[in-house]
């Protein structure tokens, strides 16, 4: 007889000693678990809209945690971690995330491993619980920072679009360069060569052409919502510098765009010299935000080696073609 696909047979019982953090911050919370049976750690995340659903999705799909309970403010997960000792039953990890008015709180519990009562002692830094705790905490905190950077750039986008009197928006105490850098690390990169003049004394003409391109990108005639960011054009961000834009590709996808201000020259097939400037798109979807800085350390040489394939299906190639054809 077939069982329902919504029924999961657990490998072992989950401890009843795990405490649930109350939804109301006014309620006193006194964890009741026995420290000799359960290890426990907690941390707080930046409160941003979208953190809870993104963490919930990724914890289940990437972390392979089972969802035990979920509602608008809370999610509880469980995962069985196999012990290094084959004869022992697997350890149970319980992960809770709660969003309420005073913050987003995460609690993680794990059954005490054999003869391991203090998993964070100097001699136990490699314990299973310590490893899981450090990894999950780092990824969660990076995820919350990524979402905050995306929110900051969306604010700039919403304030900058359609305002001809000022194409810039200066959010208070927000470092747009830092937000751009964080989003760039998560992105796939697409580059387009925009042709410029290559004759003697064409510098002023190229500068004017660059201003016209900037004006078109931020205008109401451009097919995508875009705004120019208030970032110093001479300050490099991951080896890129120039005019910076934030662009909405669709509801879930943003692209940070850099129009370089330095002319480059390439020799064409007919041996003529052609001047161009790079227009670079760094495109990331909402699902890309759940990445930690450790996951991105292989980008040692900036984003020059990043594949453009990931951003093609986002429609970035069509946007670049429109800018080039103006």
């Amino acid at each position: 007889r077939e069982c329902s696909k919504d029924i999961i047979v657990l490998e072992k019982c989950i401890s009843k000693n795990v405490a649930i953090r109350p939804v109301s911050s006014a309620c006193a919370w006194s964890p009741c678990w026995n420290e000799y049976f359960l290890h426990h750690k907690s941390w707080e995340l930046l409160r941003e809209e979208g953190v809870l659903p993104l963490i919930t999705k990724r914890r289940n799909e990437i972390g392979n945690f089972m969802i035990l309970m979920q509602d608008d403010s809370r999610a509880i997960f469980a995962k069985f971690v196999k012990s290094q000792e084959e004869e022992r039953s697997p350890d149970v990890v319980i992960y809770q995330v709660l969003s309420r008015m005073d913050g987003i709180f995460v609690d993680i519990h794990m059954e005490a491993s054999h003869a391991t009562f203090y998993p964070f002692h100097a001699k136990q830094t490699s314990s299973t619980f310590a490893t899981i705790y450090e990894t999950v905490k780092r990824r969660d905190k990076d995820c919350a920072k990524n979402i905050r950077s995306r929110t900051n750039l969306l604010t700039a986008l919403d304030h900058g679009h359609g305002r001809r009197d000022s194409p810039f928006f200066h959010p208070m105490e927000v470092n747009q360069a830092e937000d751009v850098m964080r989003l760039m690390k998560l992105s796939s990169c697409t580059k387009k060569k925009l042709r410029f003049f290559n004759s003697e004394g064409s510098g002023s003409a190229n500068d004017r052409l660059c201003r016209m391109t900037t004006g078109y990108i931020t205008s109401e005639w451009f097919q995508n919502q875009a705004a120019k960011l208030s970032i110093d054009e001479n300050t490099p961000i991951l080896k890129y510098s120039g005019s910076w834009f934030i662009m909405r590709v669709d509801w879930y996808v943003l692209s940070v765009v850099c129009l370089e201000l330095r002319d480059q020259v390439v020799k064409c097939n007919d041996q003529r010299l052609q001047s161009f400037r790079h227009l670079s798109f760094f495109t990331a979807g909402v699902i890309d935000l759940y990445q930690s800085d450790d996951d991105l350390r292989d980008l040692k040489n900036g984003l020059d080696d990043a594949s453009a394939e990931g951003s093609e299906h986002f429609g970035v190639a069509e946007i670049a073609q429109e800018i080039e054809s103006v």
Side-chain angles (χ1 to χ4, degrees):
R1 186 171 57 181
E2 294 184 0
C3 295
S4 170
K5 64 179 181 179
D6 296 325
I7 298 177
I8 300 177
V9 179
L10 301 180
E11 299 180 46
K12 61 186 299 185
C13 294
I14 295 176
S15 174
K16 63 181 180 180
N17 294 319
V18 176
I20 303 290
R21 189 185 290 265
V23 175
S24 174
S25 58
C27 299
W29 187 51
S30 300
C32 61
W33 56 79
N34 189 318
E35 63 177 343
Y36 294 105
F37 294 99
L38 290 175
H39 300 313
H40 168 248
K41 278 287 186 178
S42 63
W43 60 91
E44 188 173 350
L45 301 177
L46 295 173
R47 179 168 174 77
E48 290 289 339
E49 183 179 0
V51 170
L52 181 60
L54 183 60
I55 284 181
T56 298
K57 183 177 180 65
R58 300 295 290 198
R59 183 65 59 232
N60 176 242
E61 295 182 3
I62 303 299
N64 295 319
F65 280 75
M66 296 175 292
I67 300 177
L68 302 182
M69 191 274 281
Q70 181 181 9
D71 56 29
D72 293 338
S73 60
R74 184 198 306 274
I76 301 178
F77 305 84
K79 182 177 183 178
F80 293 98
V81 180
K82 291 187 177 181
S83 172
Q84 295 179 353
E85 302 175 18
E86 295 296 333
E87 66 275 9
R88 288 186 55 222
S89 61
D91 297 320
V92 184
V93 179
I94 305 294
Y95 175 96
Q96 304 179 51
V97 56
L98 171 66
S99 177
R100 63 189 193 190
M101 293 302 296
D102 58 333
I104 298 178
F105 302 91
V106 177
D107 292 278
I108 188 168
H109 304 81
M110 185 172 179
E111 293 177 329
S113 301
H114 179 67
T116 303
F117 299 106
Y118 303 100
F120 290 96
H121 189 273
K123 296 181 179 180
Q124 297 288 347
T125 54
S126 61
S127 68
T128 302
F129 181 69
T131 302
I132 293 176
Y133 162 73
E134 294 293 346
T135 301
V136 172
K137 177 183 177 181
R138 182 180 64 250
R139 292 182 69 91
D140 282 0
K141 284 186 171 291
D142 286 341
C143 172
K145 291 177 183 178
N146 295 339
I147 292 178
R148 171 160 290 185
S149 292
R150 182 179 187 272
T151 300
N152 291 340
L153 294 176
L154 278 174
T155 301
L157 181 63
D158 293 337
H159 284 75
H161 183 63
R163 294 178 56 190
R164 296 187 183 182
D165 56 328
S166 175
F168 298 94
F169 172 67
H170 300 273
M172 291 190 302
E173 305 302 327
V174 171
N175 187 338
Q176 290 185 339
E178 183 177 329
D179 292 332
V180 164
M181 181 184 298
R182 181 163 285 277
L183 230 61
M184 287 174 67
K185 291 179 179 180
L186 309 172
S187 306
S188 56
C189 179
T190 299
K191 288 186 178 182
K192 192 70 175 181
K193 294 179 180 179
L194 297 185
R195 290 175 295 176
F196 279 77
F197 299 109
N198 189 41
S199 58
E200 185 177 352
S202 60
S204 59
N206 283 345
D207 290 341
R208 183 170 183 176
L209 181 57
C210 185
R211 289 194 298 271
M212 292 173 63
T213 303
T214 297
Y216 177 71
I217 293 175
T218 56
S219 72
E220 58 185 9
W221 294 282
F222 189 57
Q223 66 169 327
N224 292 80
Q225 185 183 5
K228 193 171 189 295
L229 298 173
S230 54
I231 297 176
D232 185 359
E233 296 176 345
N234 297 314
T235 300
I237 303 178
L238 297 181
K239 299 183 180 181
Y240 291 82
S241 60
S243 296
W244 291 92
F245 307 86
I246 181 67
M247 186 180 301
R248 190 193 297 274
V249 180
D250 62 29
W251 188 255
Y252 300 103
V253 180
L254 288 181
S255 189
V256 172
V257 184
C258 178
L259 174 57
E260 297 183 1
L261 304 182
R262 180 172 55 89
D263 293 333
Q264 299 187 50
V265 178
V266 64
K267 183 178 291 187
C268 302
N269 293 333
D270 58 2
Q271 302 303 310
R272 291 186 303 107
L273 297 180
Q274 176 63 57
S275 181
F276 71 92
R277 296 185 184 184
H278 271 129
L279 182 67
S280 303
F281 295 81
F282 304 95
T283 309
V286 172
I287 202 66
D288 297 316
L289 300 180
Y290 194 84
Q291 298 185 53
S292 68
D293 293 341
D294 289 350
D295 299 327
L296 305 163
R297 287 180 179 173
D298 56 338
L299 302 179
K300 297 179 180 179
N301 298 316
L303 298 174
D304 289 333
D305 297 329
S307 172
E309 295 179 0
S311 57
E312 291 295 331
H313 68 278
F314 288 142
V316 171
E318 289 79 5
I319 297 173
Q321 185 175 2
E322 177 189 353
I323 296 173
E324 185 184 32
S325 62
V326 173

